[in-house]
Amino acid sequence: MAESNRPSSTDPDADNCRALSPGAVKRRAQQSPGPRPKYQSSALGHCFKKVTLTKPTFCHSCSDFVWGLIGFLCEVCNFMSHEKCLKTLRAVCTCMTPSQVQVPVAHCFTPAAQKKRFCCVCRKQTEGSTALRCEVCELHVHADCAAFSCADCRCCHLDRNLQQDKLHHHWREGNLSAAKCEVCRRSCGSSEVLSGMRCEWCSITSHAACCHRVPPECTLGRLRSMLLHPTCVHLDSRNFSKMHCYRITESCNQDLDNSDEADAPAAATKDVQPAAPESGKQFIKVFDGDDAVKRGFFRLVTSCRGTKNEEVEVALRAFYLPDEPHHFELEEFNGLQHQHSDDFLNRNASSPDNRNSPKDGGDARLLRAKPRHDDVIKVHAAWTRSSAASVCVSETSTAASVLSEVLLHLDKQGEDMSKFSLQEVCMSSKQVQRQTLSPQEKIVDKLQDIRKLSLRQMNQTRFYVVENRNPAVQVSLLIVGLPPLTKEEHTRLVEEHLDIKSHLVTFTHYYDSQGAVALQISCFSEAERIYMLAKDTSINNKMLTSLVIPEIQHKNLGDDVCPLLVFVNPKSGGLKGRELLYSFRKLLNPHQVFDITNGGPLAGLHTFREVPRFRVLVCGGDGTVGWVLGVLETVRHKLVCREPPIAIVPLGTGNDLARILRWGAGYSGEDPHHILASVDEADEVQMDRWTILLDAQDICEDGKDNCFLEPPKIVQMSNYFGLGIDAELSLDFHLAREDEPDKFTSRFHNKGVYVKVGLQKISHGRSLHKELQLQVDTKEVPLPNIEGLIFLNIPSWGSGADLWGSEADVRFARPRIDDSLLEVVGVTGVVHMGQVQSGIRSGIRIAQGSYIRLTVSKPVPVQLDGEPWIQPPGHIIISAAGPKVRMLRKSKLKQKKSAANRDGCSESPSSGDGRH
């Protein structure tokens, strides 16, 4: 970007991102009766002035309380400092943020949660409904400040534009509540102001003044052994947004994508009418270029009447531009009204005839850069972080001449110039746009065109020297949602509905039973067309899902690295699932964290198909765990690591499997960093898995089969399988949740509905033993008078109840999850089930065995791991499902530490930011 010699300054309230109320304008006028001396920090961009403090205030540098009545406030970014801290200040001003970016990477903005955070642009507290957060890094901004943030997100993968051999710390300022400095060991966080620095990768924290004493290379910290290193992930994305690359659901971001984030100030100006300015002051609507005029995006500023220099300086501060005022001017708007078809003044509740009235907010001006005959630009080397050269350009300077001079500065004078190009990169917060300049293009004219379009865009533009390389394009897409057919039928369906160009597209993987195919595409535009078309295509009334899949370069993984594949069901556990998804994307590489509702478990397993060793973490209820285990069973033959061990974060209502593996009865806000550390230290155990054949047939009174009612189907079981009253309660609960899903966001409420449904069934009676014939290991087993029959694989049922009981019985062996035996238990009704839940009684022990055959004479409610349905009469056969699955059980030592941390204070890196 163009070099500047002077930082900007701004009025911290009048030029705030949101329109001021009349009271706020009056208070600011009272606080600033006249000009005050300013203390400029040219290297960091701040422009401080002395202010009188009227309320408790904290220093943004050291996070300590500012004692006394005098503080130093930056007019640009609202940075507050002690006078003593000015000498050691290292935090840069918002206007200088673009110059600090090492590798430009766009953000993924979504609406933020209702928590206290501070905007990284204006440093003021965010306000719930208008706050945004990046799904990949710790950036929090107001909706109308997002336009002034730049593309400084984490670099989580390599592509043809990003090259790095070492991973450096990625520092993000503020939003830390209980953190200690890695260097001086003093507190560096604050819940009152934006203070302190945190590395987005290794989570170490530090004062801004201490950061330079931390070695620049990042070691990834405590989670190194389970984290996918960015240099091990490759993704050709080009114009795919970061939301697409990280498979982030777009529904919550749809409003942001359909409207420019910079329109918010204009809307605010329309709804809030400012008070009349004080004597000698005036309101001015300032547009920063032709693009702002078309969009109707302006900033409302105040200045003294008749002082043109002050007007320009205040306008620059309003747009966070660190440039010299004498290079700019404010043009009257009358001559420009007819150049654009959009009636931008009417969009902001104004009219050309009354622009100076208080109602419309005052004059409208256009901030323009004066024509320049020469300039200075900084050109960066794409192959290293630190190499850059400042080049003076004149009206005759072309891209070729600049390239020649830059190569000389970078010690590349002996290289062939044809191997390099000059690239323009626009680092807007939502998308990084790259354009290769032609050798004959005039640089000064290029800079002037950008400034005319948008001065803000000019501030977010930089130039790179890149090597001319033409590697083969390989974009991988996974298409999910096809009917379960053969490979040939899948190929025909995809080619027919998506109009595939066979010379550009290769079918690499087929998942017949899952209804999915993987494509490798050798053309960016074709990949983008197929991706967008697939998202709008339905087959057999089922919408397709298309996902961009990264390539994990498993050969670059260290021998001590066993990456963690994370599945999160955001619909489980109310909002806790959504927050866990957000937290794990922060702590790990987002390419290893998957929203299971977007493409199912197959997307993650396909991504990790060639990784020789990995573990899985499932965040959800028992149904979600069963879903992952079921998909893993069907695709394990296509994985290099066929039996990855699985850990659980319980987000459901019952969570029986999580209970016996010591992961707890339900997630209640534990620190995500501690959860990942527990997974790393967990013990591996084996667990049986069972196959159930449901063969629905018309059964005669004599027990003979007449005809098939429906095709047989096979399902997998992990926890338990129940028939009768137990499944009937589960079915009633399931139907109630489907009718009003918004009410079932709390574990406590869900259990209350179970109790209500159970009370309605107390007088219910059904002689289930007369409708069933049970055979265990080829032996007929008579059934007592029962209303429910349950087959247990684990010693936990119905939210932690011990249905089998702990009493010793010489007839049966002690139940284990890896003994290849099922326990058969009966219940006599709702009252009996309530007694079991209370621990007063246990169930009726009937049998133990490894092969079960049931004959059902009437339709009966059944439930499998909490998923209920009505099963027609016929045969049900339960047998072992082949190899046992590997599960991770939380170590007892780690369990005790977690309990102690809940009772006391936690000092983990992730708990320090106050997320949970």
Side-chain angles (χ1 to χ4, degrees), residues 117-135:
R117 294 289 186 271
F118 294 93
C119 176
C120 291
V121 174
C122 69
R123 310 185 73 89
K124 292 182 178 290
Q125 186 174 341
T126 58
E127 303 164 359
S129 60
T130 64
L132 303 176
R133 68 182 181 188
C134 176
E135 289 286 319

Side-chain angles (χ1 to χ4, degrees), residues 266-277:
T269 306
K270 176 177 66 175
D271 297 333
V272 181
Q273 298 177 359

Side-chain angles (χ1 to χ4, degrees), residues 731-908:
L731 181 61
D732 288 348
F733 172 83
H734 179 73
L735 295 175
R737 182 166 57 181
E738 281 193 338
D739 291 339
E740 297 178 298
D742 295 339
K743 293 184 177 181
F744 290 78
T745 58
S746 152
R747 193 178 295 116
F748 180 79
H749 175 268
N750 293 354
K751 291 186 177 181
V753 174
Y754 260 117
V755 172
K756 180 180 178 180
V757 171
L759 292 175
Q760 296 171 350
K761 301 286 184 181
I762 283 185
S763 59
H764 172 84
R766 177 173 183 167
S767 300
L768 187 66
H769 63 287
K770 297 180 180 180
E771 304 171 9
L772 300 177
Q773 294 180 14
L774 174 63
Q775 181 180 333
V776 180
D777 291 339
T778 71
K779 294 181 181 180
E780 296 290 337
V781 177
L783 292 174
N785 188 357
I786 57 175
E787 288 189 31
L789 186 66
I790 300 102
F791 301 89
L792 298 171
N793 183 45
I794 62 175
S796 179
W797 165 87
S799 300
D802 187 3
L803 186 60
W804 181 260
S806 57
E807 298 84 3
D809 193 330
V810 295
R811 298 175 301 164
F812 305 110
R814 182 180 178 181
R816 299 202 327 266
I817 64 174
D818 60 347
D819 58 1
S820 300
L821 294 175
L822 281 178
E823 285 69 48
V824 185
V825 191
V827 293
T828 59
V830 173
V831 175
H832 187 187
M833 292 171 59
Q835 292 171 333
V836 172
Q837 293 281 357
S838 304
I840 300 174
R841 293 180 59 186
S842 58
I844 302 172
R845 299 178 182 178
I846 297 175
Q848 264 185 332
S850 58
Y851 178 84
I852 310 293
R853 183 183 180 90
L854 274 171
T855 302
V856 184
S857 59
K858 295 181 180 180
V860 61
V862 301
Q863 64 108 345
L864 173 70
D865 293 344
E867 302 297 324
W869 70 90
I870 298 294
Q871 179 63 26
H875 299 293
I876 300 176
I877 300 174
I878 308 176
S879 59
K884 303 179 190 296
V885 295
R886 300 162 64 192
M887 305 297 294
L888 290 172
R889 182 170 59 192
K890 192 174 185 178
S891 67
K892 288 186 177 181
L893 181 61
K894 194 67 181 178
Q895 201 172 21
K896 292 178 181 178
K897 287 182 179 179
S898 298
N901 285 331
R902 284 195 296 271
D903 297 336
C905 295
S906 171
E907 294 183 0
S908 75

Side-chain angles (χ1 to χ4, degrees), residues 605 608-616 628-646 684 686 689 883-887:
L605 295 174
F608 275 63
R609 66 192 180 278
E610 295 182 354
V611 178
R613 290 191 313 130
F614 68 93
R615 287 173 289 189
V616 177
V628 173
L629 290 173
V631 174
L632 177 61
E633 182 69 27
T634 59
V635 304
R636 69 167 69 247
H637 63 284
K638 297 191 175 183
L639 305 178
V640 174
C641 178
R642 298 194 172 187
E643 297 178 7
I646 299 171
E684 189 175 312
Q686 301 281 336
R689 187 112 162 111
K884 303 179 190 296
V885 295
R886 300 162 64 192
M887 305 297 294

Side-chain angles (χ1 to χ4, degrees), residues 709-723:
L709 293 179
E710 60 182 42
K713 66 178 181 179
I714 297 176
V715 294
Q716 303 288 328
M717 181 189 78
S718 300
N719 300 351
Y720 43 75
F721 177 72
L723 302 89

